[in-house]
Amino acid sequence: MALNKVEICGVNTSKLPLLTNEEKEQLFVLIQNGDKEAKEKFIKGNLRLVLSVIKRFSNSNENVDDLFQIGCIGLIKAINNFDTTLNVKFSTYAVPMIIGEIRRYLRDNNSIRVSRSLRDTAYKAIYTKENLTRKNLKEPTINEIAEEIGVSKEDIVYAMDAIQSPVSLFEPVYTEGGDSLYVMDQISDKKNKEETWVEHIALSEAMKKLNERENEILTLRFFEGKTQMEVADYIGISQAQVSRLEKSALKFMKSYLS
């Protein structure tokens, strides 16, 4: 796929406009009031986003013009559905939409289709491999991965072979202002369906607003499953203090997310 070509779908990619955050906010106010010219300008100002996403599919045999057009459809869908009250960057919302649109296109147009269950097994294996590597400071064996996710090693090998080009979960898909969106941010499992990713982003943003102690308590309680007594012993305060700080933090989170 010739991603180094300057003109894609009649668009000179070397001269794509770049909008400031202030311009984006101003344009979105106009878009919400039905201004079609503002929407057109906003689309053109975000075509670099589409271009950066389709580079993720550089190993695909698909025509770059086709992928760019499909990516633009995802961009337009993102613009139509973006909620400014979510307190997330537009790019953070749009990238998964664009990727999803391209993936659906590739899936529907692939003559050799890989089942969803095979893809899920392969990506869970990759995710588990990364986690075990960080935890044990060495690369796990297939048997260790199989035991961790409860799948036979034969099924893991078959699933990994079925996806053509496995990548690291920490490969950046898009970067803006020093903040990167990684492949692992797009992996879906039973606890992280595509339709709930925005809520997860909002929750993460709310957690960042807590002070260090409150953040630590909620992380230990609800992400690591510790009891209040265990948390109290871990951080060296009383169980009553843990309870009070937890209630205060949850009250703030509820207010922030409502």
Side-chain angles (χ1 to χ4, degrees), residues 118 121-122 125 142 146 150-162:
L118 272 180
T121 298
I142 290 293
V151 176
S152 72
K153 63 179 182 180
E154 291 79 9
D155 286 344
I156 290 177
V157 172
Y158 183 69
M160 295 294 286
D161 285 340

Side-chain angles (χ1 to χ4, degrees), residues 13 17 20 38 52 68 77 110 113 116 125 168 215 234:
T13 58
T20 65
S52 69
F68 188 76
K77 286 184 177 180
N110 190 358
R113 297 185 180 179
R116 181 175 295 276
S168 168
N215 193 305
Y234 182 82

Side-chain angles (χ1 to χ4, degrees), residues 3 33 36 51 94 130 137 159 192 196 216-217 236 238:
L3 279 172
N33 290 326
K36 294 183 178 180
L51 191 62
E130 299 281 2
L137 301 179
N192 184 28
T196 63
E216 183 180 25
I217 288 174
S238 69

